[in-house]
């Protein structure tokens, strides 16, 4: 487990939607240069936690710390300003536009004093794709003609234009083939090598164990485990996800109390 202070940290976070308690007293941390996998069954609260971090659904109570400082993140713009980028499962790409246009969609103004032209955008797009070792036919290729893995890579590359410190990836390998999944996992490793804190939501434990340094398990809106990926296995993770580990611990505790003189 990392010894350094986390770049991103949540303490005692709770979130309610009407009668539904989506998150309860959740602690979460992500470290620079590390991949943190967020796993759990459907309804465990993974997507809610990601939306809380990204400012889409601010939590009801708890503390949000970034780089050791307490911050208030109530909007996606506030999260972006801190250096947090999010790539959602739907990718939000425009199929009828080429890669350059998709990377700069909504970002055409690079600064307050200079607006990028097509040549500038093409050069910057090529630069960021090379830095991330993203393999596509051309930056002028329409997104509609790209493979699933290439589309995911473009979406991740777009998030890097703002030079973020934290990247949140929601099911980045969902519905991808073997070769496409390998391409995306390589990209996640590249982000880690560049010193970013990477948070990955995934249902695929095989993918998780290929890239994760730490595995955080949510169950019914609660954080029930923080596991070192190198010191655990899929059986332990599944036990935490399903609650069988908690049941076994409770049974052992009960038996120990019975055996006490």
């Amino acid at each position: 487990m990392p010894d350094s202070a986390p770049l991103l940290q949540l303490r005692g976070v709770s979130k309610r939607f009407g009668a539904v308690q989506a998150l309860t007293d959740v602690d979460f941390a992500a470290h620079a240069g590390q991949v943190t996998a967020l796993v759990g069954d459907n309804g465990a609260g993974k997507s809610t936690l990601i939306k809380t971090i990204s400012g889409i659904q601010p939590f009801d109570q708890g503390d949000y710390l970034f780089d050791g400082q307490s911050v208030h993140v109530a909007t996606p713009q506030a999260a972006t300003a801190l250096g947090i980028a999010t790539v959602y499962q739907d990718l939000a790409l425009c199929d009828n536009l080429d890669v350059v246009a998709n990377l700069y969609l909504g970002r055409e103004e690079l600064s307050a004093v200079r607006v990028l032209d097509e040549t500038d955008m093409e050069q910057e797009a090529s630069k960021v794709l090379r830095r991330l070792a993203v393999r596509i036919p051309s930056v002028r290729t329409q997104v509609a003609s790209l493979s699933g893995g290439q589309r995911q890579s473009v979406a991740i590359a777009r998030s890097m234009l703002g030079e973020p410190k934290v990247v949140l990836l929601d099911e980045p390998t969902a519905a991808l083939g073997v070769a496409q999944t390998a391409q995306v996992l390589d990209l996640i490793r590249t982000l880690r090598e560049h010193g970013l804190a990477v948070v990955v939501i995934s249902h695929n434990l095989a993918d998780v164990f290929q890239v994760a340094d730490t595995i955080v398990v949510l169950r019914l809106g609660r954080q029930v485990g923080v596991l070192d990926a190198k010191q655990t296995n899929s059986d332990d993770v599944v036990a935490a996800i399903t609650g069988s580990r908690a049941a076994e611990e409770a049974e052992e505790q009960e038996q120990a109390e019975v055996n006490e003189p």
Side-chain angles (χ1 to χ4, degrees), residues 122-135 139 190 194:
E122 183 170 329
Q123 291 176 348
E124 290 298 322
S126 297
K127 185 184 300 183
V128 71
L129 291 171
R130 282 197 305 270
R131 182 160 63 93
L132 297 176
V134 174
R135 300 181 296 276
V139 294
T190 299
H194 287 174

Side-chain angles (χ1 to χ4, degrees), residues 9-69:
Q9 187 173 19
L10 303 183
R11 295 176 180 167
V13 166
S14 295
K15 177 67 178 178
R16 176 182 290 274
F17 297 100
V20 177
Q21 188 71 40
L23 298 173
T24 303
D25 198 27
V26 171
D27 294 333
F28 179 80
H31 296 254
Q34 300 281 334
V35 177
T36 302
L38 187 58
V39 302
D41 210 345
N42 292 332
K46 303 184 302 298
S47 293
T48 300
L49 184 60
I50 289 296
K51 290 176 181 177
T52 291
I53 295 171
S54 62
I56 292 179
Q57 296 172 342
F59 49 77
D60 300 327
Q61 64 183 45
D63 298 312
Y64 193 132
L65 292 88
F66 193 85
D67 205 10
Q69 301 296 316

Side-chain angles (χ1 to χ4, degrees), residues 120-233:
D120 288 332
M121 290 192 291
E122 183 170 329
Q123 291 176 348
E124 290 298 322
S126 297
K127 185 184 300 183
V128 71
L129 291 171
R130 282 197 305 270
R131 182 160 63 93
L132 297 176
V134 174
R135 300 181 296 276
I136 58 172
S138 165
V139 294
R140 287 303 178 183
T141 302
Q142 273 201 345
V143 164
S145 66
L146 298 178
S147 69
Q150 290 170 332
R151 290 166 61 89
Q152 182 68 247
S153 297
V154 169
I156 295 173
R158 180 177 60 188
S159 74
M160 297 300 295
L161 289 178
E163 298 185 355
K165 298 178 181 178
V166 178
V167 179
L168 313 176
L169 304 175
D170 187 3
E171 296 286 359
T173 60
L176 296 184
V178 174
Q180 297 171 353
T181 294
Q183 180 179 356
V184 173
L185 295 179
D186 283 342
L187 180 51
I188 292 173
R189 296 185 187 98
T190 299
L191 296 177
R192 174 174 57 195
E193 290 167 3
H194 287 174
L196 278 72
V198 185
V199 179
V200 179
I201 289 181
S202 182
H203 281 91
N204 190 318
L205 293 184
D207 292 348
V208 165
F209 276 99
Q210 285 199 54
V211 296
D213 299 287
T214 303
I215 302 172
V216 176
V217 184
L218 291 184
R219 183 172 183 271
L220 301 177
R222 295 179 180 272
Q223 187 247 79
V224 295
V226 180
L227 308 173
D228 186 331
K230 294 181 176 61
Q231 302 296 325
T232 191
N233 55 55

Side-chain angles (χ1 to χ4, degrees), residues 82-103:
L82 285 174
I84 300 171
T86 309
V87 180
Y88 293 101
Q89 192 171 353
D90 62 8
L91 303 184
L93 297 175
C94 295
D95 286 348
N96 62 320
L97 299 179
D98 63 22
V99 172
V100 174
N102 269 280
L103 259 62

